Each structure stands twice: as C-alpha cells, then as structure tokens.
Amino acid sequence: MKNSVPKIATRADLDRVRDAARSAPDKDVREKILVCTGGGCMAAGAKAIKTALTGELKKQGLEKEVALVETGCLGPCVVGPVLVMSKERVFYQGVAPADAAEIVQEHIVKGRIIERLAWKEGPHKTPLPLQAEIPFFKRQTKIVLRNCGVIDPNSIDDYIGHDGYQAVAQALFSMTPETVIEEMKKSGLRGRGGAGFPTHLKWAMARKSPGEVKYILCNADEGDPGAFMDRSVLEGDPHAVIEGMLIGGYAIGAHQGYVYVRAEYPLAVERLQRAIEAASERGLLGENILGSGFNFALEIRKGSGAFVCGEETALMASIEGNRGEPRPRPPYPALKGLWRRPTVLNNVETFANVPFIIARGGAAYSALGTERSKGSKVFALAGAITISGLVEVPVGTPLEDLIYEIGGGIKGGRNFKAAQIGGPSGGCIPREHIAVPLDYESLNALGAIMGSGGLVVMDESACMVDVARFFMEFVQEESCGKCVPCREGTKRMLDILNKICAGDGCPEDLALLQELGGQIKAASLCGLGQTAPNPVLSTMRHFRDEYEAHIVHKRCPAGVCAALLVYSITDACTGCGACKRACPSAAIAGSAKVKHIIDPALCIRCGACFKACKFGAVLKA
Amino acid sequence: MNPHGKTENALPEVLTGNSEAEFITSIIAPYRDMPGALIPLLQAVQQKFGYLSDNALRSVSDGLGLPLAKVFGVVTFYSFFSRVPRGKFLIRVCLGTACYVLGAADVLDCLQKELEIGVGQTTSDGIFTLDVGRCFGACGLAPVIMINDTVHQQVRPSQVPKILAGYRKSLLSALENGQ
C-alpha cells in the first residue's frame, strides 16, 4: 500500500478530490477501455484480455494515451467477456486475447468500428456497435447499477469522481438523522432482499429504540439460487454499499457496521475488503468523518455456507459466533438485534439505492415505479433465456418486456413455459400471466414474490413437478432444524413429491400437499419455513394438469422424470447401432442398417440411447 | 490419523501433532478481543490446514475459552467447515436453479464417474474432493462448477475430462518445481 495518501478530512477536501479525479485523466488520455471484470466475464477470461491489451498498447506506444480500466458487471454475462470503448461507448462482446491487436489497430489507431465484435440484434444479426442503440441497455434504468461498468471498483478516487461520498457529506452536514429518514420515506424504498419491508420504517424504529450502542448490518448472504445482483454490486461498486451504510448508520445512530458476505463470493469479499481499507485510509470510515464528529467503523464477516443465515435473526446469531439458527420475533431487531442491541439489517441492493436517494431526493426515486412499489429493481435473468445477465428496470415493468425486449426471448426459439421468481421462497409465473407487472403486490397475487429478483426462465423442457421437488429438496436440506413444522414438514412434502415423480403418486397427495403447505407456512419460526411451500403451492395452482398427468396418467409431459418415461425408436433409425452399444441393460435389439427396437421390460430409462442417437430417432414420452 | 486412513503424499503439509495448536497460539491474540470471533478463527484455521481436526477444535476451544461442545456445534452447523481432510482441489458443482434446469446433474454424474468418488468424498490420491454448492451467483453462465476459487462456466459433461486434466497437470508442474 502506498504511504501518505492525503486524508479527506473535510467536505472541501472531498470536493477537491472529486474535481481532481474528474479532470486528471482527460489531459493525456484520449480513450478509455473499460474491461468488464464482473464475475461472469472473469470466468470467461477477462484478465487475459486485459493483459493482451496492455501488451498491444505498449507495442504501439499508446499506453499513455489509452487507459485500461477494470470495471464492474456490464450486464449481459452470456456474451462475455465484454468491454466498452468509453469515448463513444462502443460495446464489444465475446472478446478473445487474440482480438487485442485488432482492437488497438482498427478501433484506436484508425478509428474504425470492428463489426465482428459488435452486438448482434434480431433474426438478421444486425450489428449494433453503440451501447446506446442496443435494446438490452436501452430499456434499462440504472440506479443501483449506476456505476457498474462505468467506474473502476478498486479505485476510491474514481468513485469520488462520480460524486461518490457526496450523499453522506450532504447527510452529515445539511441533514439531521430525522430528515434523512424523512427522505427515505419520500422515496418509498422497500427492502430489496425479499420481504419488501419499507426501509424508512426499519430505520425510524431503530432510531427511536433506546440505547447508546446500535448496529447497522448489510445482508450480503445472497442465497437464493438464481440471484446474483448483490454479488455484482459488491464486485462492481463496493463504495456505494459503504456509503449507503454510512448514511444508515448516521440515521439510526450506529457507529459500527458489519457486512455479512457469502463465502461463495471470494471476489466480492476481496473488492469490498479493498474498498473498506481505502475508505478507512482516506478517513471516510473511522473517527470524525469529514470533520463532522460522526464515527463509523465497518467490518466484513464471511458466511460459512448456510442458506438460513440470510434470515435476519439467523444472520445475527452467526455474526455473534453461534449456529445460524433464527429466534422468534418479537423482539424485533430494531429493538433487540445483534448482541441484543437495536439493529438495522438491509441487503446490498437496498443500501446501494441510498446514496442516490439522499443526493437526488426521495421524490426523484419515487417518480419511478408503481403506486405502491417505488423505484427500480435489479433482476437476474437466467435459465432458458437468450441474453442471461443482470438488468435494472423500474418496478412494475411487465415480465414480458423483461424476457422478450431486454432478454431477447427464449433460447433456441422455443416457447416460454414459466418464470420462477423469488427462489425457494417464490413461485412460478405461467404463460397466461406473462404480462404481470413486476411489483410486490402483483406478484403476491399470483402466489409468487419479488424476493431478491432472481428470475429463472423455463421453456417446455422443464417439468414443473420436478422444479417444485428441486426447491423442496433445497429447503429441506437447508432447514436449520430448530422448529418442527419446517424440519419435519418439508421432509414430508419432499417425500410426497419424490413419490409423484417416481410414478407412485395417488390423487390424495395433492390435497395433502396443500394442507401440509398451509400448516408449514402458518407455524414455522422464520421466513425460510414460512415461505418454503411456495414453489409447490404455486406450481400446483398454475400447473395442476402436470401434477395430474404424473399421478393419474403416470406421464411426465416434459420428459424429465426418468421413472415415467417410455423410450421408443422411430423410422428415422438408420440402424447404426450407437444406441445398442450405449444401452447398459441390453434392452435394444436390431441388426446393422435395420431399425432397432427397445424392449420396455428391460429398459431402465437411463436415457443413454437418447443421448447416443445422432439422428433424433429415439423418442422419449 | 484421519478417518480415511491415508496420510501419504499430496495431503496438506502437516496433519498431526501440535502444528495446529502452534498455529492457533500464534494467531489467537486479535481474536480474543473480537466479538463473535469463533467463526472467523475457524475459517482461518481451515484456510491453513484444509480441514478442522479434533486437535484444531480443542485448541480453538482453549484459545477462546469456549466449551468444546459449543465449538463442535458451530463447526457441524455450517457446510463450509470440513471435519475430514480434503483434496488439493475442491470441486463444487452448482445445483442452483439455473444450473439445475440447464443440466448440472449431468455434469455432476460425469464428475462422479471420472473421479470414481461420490459427493463429499476425496480421490485416493488426495487431489480432488467433490462437493455440491447452492448457487455461486454465476447463473448467467449456467451450468457452472467452482474449483477452489475459480469458476468454470457453461460446463458440458464432455469438457469434464479436459478440465480435470488441466488441474492434474498444474499440480504436477508445481511438484516438479519443488513447490
């Protein structure tokens, strides 16, 4: 670490650093290459591209004129590694190290756009080089992700240069804790972790709770499978989370904060740690911040792989060094939380909204969204969608727009079947409700929840009974075991679902699932159990015919549940013998160049023949 | 002794004796003043030795003045803590929703066949441990597997042998260079 970095001791210092950061690079640098180093692009080899570009720029003697910046997630993970040429915001995708020479030669030296690396849109694969023209970006409104793909997450100066820490300065010098909370109220921000509890109410309760010592916690234990927005914010804009927590700490009167991060996110931990060190070194964390007299320290606590620790009281138990088991509420954490002190817990996305709300005003935030759900929401698109990745849209945007206009529709031109939203606590939205506006109320009405915003899109190849079974297995394994309804109830529900998928279901099972589900929801101790039956109940509601096909007709319409499949060979068979060789149970007979047949009595339904056939002649139904 | 009864080559440097006690004594000071220090300390010990042995749990219990039962209770609650030695490379197959619907189970099958071990087990040469994970937040790249801290994206079963060979090779060259 460099020594003698000047402290930012006053508000005027902050402004000076901001102005310096804004003007400094423009003197010599005529182009900045923003290389996405979000988790997805890193896995696709972003570091190697940066190394290749560094070498190429040096070779051409351009290293002073062209800056290479590592930036956070740009969004469309599936076409990564991606980068942006910042001057005109030209977007390049699927970049390989071998492309470095062409990028430098063509784009930088000759000023010509490389169409080969540009975004391709529509059935004619029209190249769209400018980021502003690409529908995936055009339809988004970025508040939480405002700096992701714009700044270098490892540079505090870059963050300050983009008005970073201005909101906390404004709060400390021009606002009282009460007016901060008032502004949060105007914004209408609701917790982005799942339940959607109004943030200002949590803050106001903790503010009013008696006690000298209070805590503010950030929930970065993003456990819902299918959600990765918190990871991307921590990796792409860690200072925004720190600033949000500083403002929250000031509002409730806390001087110590903890960020509880999943152990599965090593890169997020590394970048957040570096950001905390930089902020502490510059005096933006610690004693007497900006000379205001306000003290605030921040620490990271790493999770150890327990899904239930995303529940607030379990998370606190884990920070305290205990087994991550929830406890009954009340008392609510705002009164008695971490170490029995008044505590506020918000998630990463919630905190990342806070600097925007304070800097631009609550009204600017609440101008977005619907009557009762304000602002913007980040969604993680995954599954059978063409452009999987991270998007941010105003709350209330129809699901259909998200999938077809932003996400490019279903992969391989197949048909949409359902979207699973809200992870193991959520539900499935079927085709007939694809126009549903994505807001808290509309989703609840369909038996789903907004949750953390993970959206897994499924096409016809997904079996909804199997998906429900998958989630039940998940919550069963992750149930901490403290309360009986969750521990035993989820086990019973899973047994029934396994039975149905194995072809042993009986008509009474559906009523039993319904009844058990209702009891688990009503009687469980924490959010995990209270929402665990949702995926089953919602699929039973919207896809009842599929359950009935499994139970009554012993068929899996999607062809997923192995025990219910019947394999047969069609006339497309060329008699090549590949299936016969692949079959582990000698169930296939036939001589060379003659159509083969499967003996259903010997078939163990493993699907080896289906995979081995190169002519699509093996049918499963 | 470890429960697998095999301590020869390729396992982390020291597995027995006082080394854990010595290590814990050498780093304990800041943890004594830290509220809720148990989990961060256990994480540091596992990071160093690859797993948490009986000796390690006893030393942690002594070091922080906490009952051994409490330490044991915490260790067995969290899936990241391992009570048995693990391989040089920990392979975790994501079984989150996106990976599941895009074929993660086939990848897991293939790994089990290639490595000839089940989930939670370690190969007899001590190189690979196979485990499953619940979403690494790389859903846009599903299905993914994570080997130590590296994410491999859009993995097809056919790529598995090549990925494993790459890790075996890196280990061999590290051994040749005397590391």
Side-chain angles (χ1 to χ4, degrees):
Chain A
M1 195 145 287
K2 280 169 274 170
N3 46 16
S4 76
V5 209
K7 285 251 181 206
I8 301 172
T10 63
R11 204 176 176 180
D13 284 354
L14 184 68
D15 291 346
R16 261 195 299 280
V17 174
R18 177 192 61 191
D19 297 342
R22 272 184 188 165
S23 58
D26 295 338
K27 276 185 208 143
D28 308 312
V29 173
R30 61 185 180 89
E31 177 71 288
K32 266 203 281 190
I33 307 178
L34 299 162
V35 182
C36 176
T37 53
C41 287
M42 288 285 271
K47 282 278 181 194
I49 288 154
K50 194 190 168 202
T51 313
L53 281 168
T54 310
E56 199 57 37
L57 289 171
K58 212 170 238 167
K59 213 160 93 188
Q60 304 288 334
L62 291 168
E63 69 265 37
K64 290 223 172 68
E65 286 173 62
V66 180
L68 263 175
V69 178
E70 289 185 16
T71 186
C73 182
L74 277 152
C77 306
V78 77
V79 294
V82 300
L83 53 85
V84 167
M85 314 297 285
S86 77
K87 203 164 67 183
E88 295 166 286
R89 291 210 70 93
V90 173
F91 178 87
Y92 288 139
Q93 65 177 29
V95 181
D99 298 325
E102 193 177 346
I103 291 171
V104 174
Q105 277 296 335
E106 284 294 301
H107 190 106
I108 291 170
V109 178
K110 296 185 186 152
R112 286 199 283 242
I113 283 168
I114 308 164
E115 284 202 347
R116 182 174 64 83
L117 297 175
W119 181 277
K120 309 293 186 303
E121 186 67 30
H124 303 295
K125 302 215 175 290
T126 319
L128 293 178
L130 297 182
Q131 201 183 352
E133 291 175 344
I134 300 171
F136 178 85
F137 295 106
K138 219 160 54 177
R139 288 285 317 258
Q140 297 193 50
T141 307
K142 295 196 173 189
I143 293 176
V144 172
L145 302 175
R146 60 194 177 275
N147 288 327
C148 286
V150 178
I151 67 165
D152 176 357
N154 285 324
S155 163
I156 191 172
D157 289 275
D158 209 357
Y159 181 71
I160 294 172
H162 285 79
D163 290 326
Y165 291 106
Q166 289 292 335
V168 71
Q170 191 180 326
L172 292 174
F173 294 102
S174 327
M175 298 168 88
T176 64
E178 285 75 17
T179 55
V180 169
I181 294 172
E182 192 50 39
E183 212 53 50
M184 294 303 292
K185 187 176 177 182
K186 274 187 214 153
S187 76
L189 177 66
R190 295 166 64 174
R192 296 295 191 231
F197 192 77
T199 305
H200 75 93
L201 277 181
K202 253 189 200 180
W203 289 18
M205 280 191 279
R207 169 94 209 146
K208 282 185 205 127
S209 291
E212 283 294 296
V213 179
K214 296 178 185 178
Y215 296 105
I216 191 149
L217 312 181
C218 176
N219 187 345
D221 193 50
E222 182 178 51
D224 285 358
F228 50 95
M229 56 286 293
D230 290 352
R231 166 194 172 135
S232 296
V233 171
L234 286 177
E235 288 175 359
D237 196 12
H239 287 285
V241 180
I242 298 176
E243 189 176 1
M245 291 187 74
L246 272 165
I247 295 167
Y250 173 69
I252 69 162
H255 303 289
Q256 173 73 50
Y258 292 97
V259 187
Y260 189 89
V261 195
R262 301 179 80 196
E264 286 90 337
Y265 290 177
L267 185 64
V269 172
E270 181 192 317
R271 293 206 179 141
L272 179 64
Q273 185 64 47
R274 206 182 295 189
I276 291 175
E277 279 163 16
S280 306
E281 199 183 26
R282 303 298 278 273
L284 292 165
L285 284 172
E287 309 268 299
N288 192 16
I289 292 163
L290 295 173
S292 66
F294 176 64
N295 307 329
F296 191 78
L298 193 54
E299 266 179 57
I300 296 179
R301 286 297 164 92
K302 272 199 301 181
S304 278
F307 174 72
V308 69
C309 288
E311 195 278 339
E312 60 178 1
T313 59
L315 186 149
M316 289 170 202
S318 185
I319 293 180
E320 289 168 3
N322 301 316
R323 292 164 68 93
E325 289 173 348
R327 59 159 181 77
R329 298 172 301 178
Y332 286 95
L335 205 63
K336 281 189 174 141
L338 186 66
W339 287 297
R340 305 194 65 75
R341 310 283 194 177
T343 302
V344 158
L345 174 85
N346 288 124
N347 85 329
V348 171
E349 188 183 339
T350 311
F351 279 125
N353 274 305
V354 173
F356 175 92
I357 291 167
I358 297 304
R360 307 278 191 86
Y365 189 80
S366 66
L368 293 172
T370 65
E371 188 58 36
R372 292 178 61 197
S373 302
K374 300 296 186 192
S376 67
K377 175 80 191 84
V378 184
F379 291 96
L381 299 178
I385 191 160
T386 309
I387 308 161
S388 52
L390 213 58
V391 300
E392 183 172 0
V393 291
V395 176
T397 301
L399 174 63
E400 195 170 12
D401 291 4
L402 210 59
I403 293 175
Y404 286 95
E405 294 191 17
I406 297 177
I410 307 300
K411 224 189 263 180
R414 285 193 289 266
N415 289 321
F416 172 84
K417 180 170 186 178
Q420 207 285 340
I421 179 162
S425 311
C428 288
I429 311 281
R431 196 180 315 169
E432 58 266 34
H433 292 295
I434 195 170
V436 64
L438 295 166
D439 62 61
Y440 294 95
E441 290 73 26
S442 309
L443 289 168
N444 287 350
L446 289 178
I449 61 162
M450 178 88 92
S452 48
L455 244 170
V456 180
V457 179
M458 289 175 254
D459 62 20
E460 301 122 328
S461 69
C463 166
M464 303 316 287
V465 184
D466 182 61
V467 166
R469 193 198 57 78
F470 162 80
F471 280 113
M472 197 43 73
E473 194 175 30
F474 181 101
V475 289
Q476 214 292 306
E477 211 159 278
E478 296 295 342
S479 170
C480 78
K482 184 170 177 175
C483 74
V484 177
C486 177
R487 185 183 68 226
E488 302 297 330
T490 56
K491 178 89 179 117
R492 300 308 309 152
M493 284 184 84
L494 177 61
D495 285 347
I496 298 170
L497 289 164
N498 277 332
K499 207 175 79 173
I500 296 174
C501 289
D504 300 325
C506 54
E508 296 77 38
D509 285 342
L510 290 180
L512 190 55
L513 280 175
Q514 194 84 43
E515 189 190 343
L516 261 171
Q519 287 170 350
I520 295 169
K521 282 178 77 141
S524 292
L525 177 59
C526 82
L528 194 157
Q530 286 157 12
T531 59
N534 286 355
V536 180
L537 298 178
S538 97
T539 47
M540 276 173 50
R541 173 172 161 191
H542 298 298
F543 298 93
R544 198 165 184 97
D545 53 331
E546 250 182 278
Y547 279 87
E548 283 164 357
H550 282 73
I551 293 171
V552 181
H553 307 294
K554 308 294 175 197
R555 275 187 59 243
C556 174
V560 172
C561 298
L564 300 178
L565 297 181
V566 178
Y567 288 89
S568 59
I569 297 176
T570 69
D571 290 342
C573 175
T574 64
C576 72
C579 57
K580 195 171 152 186
R581 284 190 295 276
C583 179
S585 63
I588 300 178
S591 35
K593 298 191 181 165
V594 180
K595 183 183 154 186
H596 285 36
I597 47 166
I598 300 175
D599 182 347
L602 293 175
C603 175
I604 56 165
R605 300 175 179 92
C606 68
C609 54
F610 182 82
K611 282 178 198 155
C613 182
K614 292 194 174 67
F615 306 97
V618 177
L619 269 190
K620 62 175 175 181
Chain B
M1 280 297 284
N2 75 70
H4 286 176
K6 281 186 184 171
T7 47
E8 60 282 59
N9 62 31
L11 287 171
E13 27 173 323
V14 222
L15 289 176
T16 52
N18 296 322
S19 57
E20 282 132 326
E22 278 166 24
F23 174 72
I24 290 163
T25 313
S26 72
I27 63 161
I28 191 81
Y31 291 96
R32 285 212 172 104
D33 304 324
M34 181 198 271
L38 177 56
I39 293 172
L41 177 60
L42 288 168
Q43 285 169 340
V45 176
Q46 175 153 311
Q47 172 84 28
K48 171 84 178 167
F49 295 96
Y51 79 113
L52 296 166
S53 66
D54 290 353
N55 279 334
L57 298 198
R58 267 189 216 104
S59 305
V60 166
S61 151
D62 291 345
L64 293 178
L66 290 170
L68 185 57
K70 156 103 188 178
V71 177
F72 188 81
V74 166
V75 167
T76 52
F77 184 84
Y78 295 97
S79 67
F80 266 46
F81 292 130
S82 175
R83 294 275 292 119
V84 292
R86 291 192 296 194
K88 205 87 185 153
F89 302 111
L90 173 61
I91 305 176
R92 281 183 308 199
V93 180
C94 178
L95 291 182
T97 326
C99 291
Y100 182 77
V101 299
L102 292 177
D106 293 340
V107 177
L108 179 62
D109 273 353
C110 181
L111 276 162
Q112 289 178 316
K113 280 190 196 125
E114 280 289 323
L115 297 170
E116 299 176 348
I117 52 173
V119 173
Q121 294 179 334
T122 300
T123 52
S124 57
D125 56 11
I127 297 180
F128 295 108
T129 298
L130 183 61
D131 212 340
V132 293
R134 296 299 198 187
C135 195
F136 308 135
C139 317
L141 310 166
V144 298
I145 64 174
M146 200 159 162
I147 303 186
N148 291 351
D149 280 350
T150 307
V151 174
H152 294 261
Q153 56 157 331
Q154 297 177 343
V155 179
R156 306 276 162 246
S158 58
Q159 300 167 333
V160 164
K162 202 179 150 200
I163 294 173
L164 295 178
Y167 280 91
R168 283 208 184 90
K169 211 174 134 195
S170 74
L171 189 64
L172 272 180
S173 54
L175 285 175
E176 274 164 19
N177 296 331
Q179 287 167 18

